[in-house]
Amino acid sequence: MRLGLALGYWGRGPDPRHVPLAQEAERLGYHSVWTAESWGSDVFTPLTWIAARTSTIRLGTAVAQMAARSPTTTAMHALTLDHLSGGRVMLGLGLSGPQVVEGWYGRPFPKSPLTATREYVDVVRQVLRRRAPVELDGRFHSHPYGGPDGTGLGKALKPITHPLRADLPVLLGAEGPRNIAQTTRIADGWLPLYWSPNRPEVYEASLAGAPEGFLVAPMAQVRVCDDVTEGLLPVKTMLGFYIGGMGHAARNFHADLMARMGYEEQARRIQRLFLEGRREEAVLAVPDAFADEISLVGPRERIAERLESWRKGPVTDLLALAPDRESLRVLAELKA
């Protein structure tokens, strides 16, 4: 099981800790560092900044939102950074949800998310392989464009720049069972939002068809501390926001996932409290047990014991949301 550092996306502004943390992770032997985007900072620019200040650590997007760019644009970003970094890019993609896609990107959320994802990955793969001009007679991502509002003058093209790697890894941030099963067929890996090593049955059927070498790279908040309850507060804050605020009351993929993991009643309560504006109560309503099983929090000895359960399952890469150098160091030492 390899280690990665997950930095997430910016808040109010750039986080001055990100580059030093990435450099420390590289020094400690971490395999990868990952950035993210929501509706603020983009995913590729901070990763490029980190690439210029590191030399060996892999560079991942977890995730680049598909609605933010056409698939050819995303492929251009990936092949450009792959060249500049010497072949270190791992492209993680995610569909996001209706509130963000329609509210922020001003685009319709696809009525068939699986088809939209499959077409998007197909186009990205065609660009990176550069075997022929990109062509797809699709429902969502046709190339050339052939819609009724087009000119009819579109021409199939292949990239001017020769990609450094035709097999640049593509991972998907899927959540639903069918989406995960499709991910095993069309991608090189999967980026789970929540992973509990105690509940392998939640994903067992979806991962049954995963080929050899398929990557499973969940994120987990890692915090070395004496007080477990206090250490879980950032985890609960994150969960309160995602489960309560990152989606509509009638359609929230994160809440649905928590429900499938055995916490349906609590997930709906968190949603209700958050949507009523009672955000602190929503955070406190997140069960400690749930926050604990998807993270690695507490004294060194406790993390060491719990880390063993992460090693036993299908996880190939543990992406640590670590807030400090000490937690990064301890995790590296325990993993070794």
Side-chain angles (χ1 to χ4, degrees):
M1 187 178 68
R2 302 179 300 195
L3 294 180
L5 168 63
L7 295 172
Y9 43 78
W10 295 351
R12 185 183 295 268
D15 191 325
R17 300 174 301 171
H18 281 184
V19 169
L21 279 174
Q23 292 171 327
E24 179 69 1
E26 181 175 72
R27 188 188 70 78
L28 290 167
Y30 278 61
H31 175 262
S32 56
V33 56
W34 302 74
T35 55
E37 62 187 2
S38 53
W39 50 91
S41 60
D42 80 277
V43 72
F44 286 105
T45 308
L47 203 59
T48 304
W49 195 256
I50 291 167
R53 286 155 177 78
T54 56
S55 57
T56 58
I57 196 166
R58 301 297 195 278
L59 308 159
T61 58
V63 295
Q65 296 186 332
M66 291 186 240
R69 306 163 191 86
S70 70
T72 48
T73 307
T74 295
M76 288 167 63
H77 277 297
L79 74 85
T80 302
L81 182 53
D82 205 42
H83 268 292
L84 293 174
S85 66
R88 292 192 276 153
V89 171
M90 303 175 75
L91 180 61
L93 302 171
L95 201 58
S96 193
Q99 279 197 323
V100 174
V101 172
E102 297 182 3
W104 180 247
Y105 295 115
R107 303 180 61 183
F109 188 78
K111 289 184 169 59
S112 178
L114 271 75
T115 301
T117 300
R118 188 167 58 249
E119 291 182 7
Y120 199 103
V121 172
D122 187 349
V123 173
V124 169
R125 298 278 204 198
Q126 288 191 53
V127 173
L128 295 174
R129 288 170 181 156
R130 202 182 178 273
R131 293 174 181 164
V134 176
E135 291 188 286
L136 178 68
D137 182 14
R139 178 178 172 185
F140 298 98
H141 298 292
S142 289
H143 282 68
Y145 181 73
D149 55 343
T151 64
L153 301 176
K155 178 182 178 180
L157 301 168
K158 61 181 179 180
I160 297 170
T161 305
H162 291 230
L164 184 64
R165 295 183 294 161
D167 59 350
L168 186 153
V170 176
L171 298 87
L172 294 176
E175 290 188 50
R178 291 173 61 212
N179 303 58
I180 298 167
Q182 175 177 266
T183 297
T184 66
R185 297 190 296 272
I186 68 172
D188 302 298
W190 172 45
L191 294 160
L193 182 61
Y194 313 135
W195 177 271
S196 170
N198 305 329
R199 301 173 189 270
E201 71 282 356
V202 174
Y203 300 119
E204 190 172 13
S206 299
L207 291 174
E212 186 177 352
F214 186 77
L215 305 177
V216 177
M219 285 187 238
Q221 290 207 33
V222 178
R223 185 180 297 266
V224 178
C225 59
D226 294 327
D227 189 327
V228 174
T229 301
E230 183 180 338
L232 287 174
L233 275 177
V235 186
K236 295 175 66 169
T237 299
M238 176 273 292
L239 288 169
F241 175 64
Y242 271 75
I243 293 161
M246 291 283 270
H248 189 270
R251 195 169 188 183
N252 183 315
F253 302 135
H254 310 308
D256 293 344
L257 174 56
M258 182 178 174
R260 287 197 301 276
M261 295 179 76
Y263 295 91
E264 182 167 9
E265 182 180 338
Q266 296 92 327
R268 304 312 169 196
R269 182 163 183 263
I270 294 164
Q271 270 190 293
R272 186 176 67 253
L273 290 169
F274 197 96
L275 294 172
E276 289 173 358
R278 299 156 66 185
R279 297 191 176 191
E280 284 191 22
E281 291 180 65
V283 170
L284 294 175
V286 176
D288 281 9
F290 181 56
D292 195 27
E293 66 181 271
I294 64 168
S295 61
L296 289 162
V297 173
R300 179 189 176 107
E301 296 75 19
R302 185 177 195 265
I303 291 177
E305 180 181 347
R306 294 167 59 79
L307 191 60
E308 289 307 308
S309 61
W310 289 76
R311 295 179 194 266
K312 292 176 183 176
V315 173
T316 60
D317 297 77
L318 172 59
L319 310 186
L321 284 157
D324 57 80
R325 289 171 179 257
E326 173 68 8
S327 296
L328 275 182
R329 181 186 61 79
V330 168
L331 188 62
E333 290 173 354
L334 294 175
K335 189 265 179 185

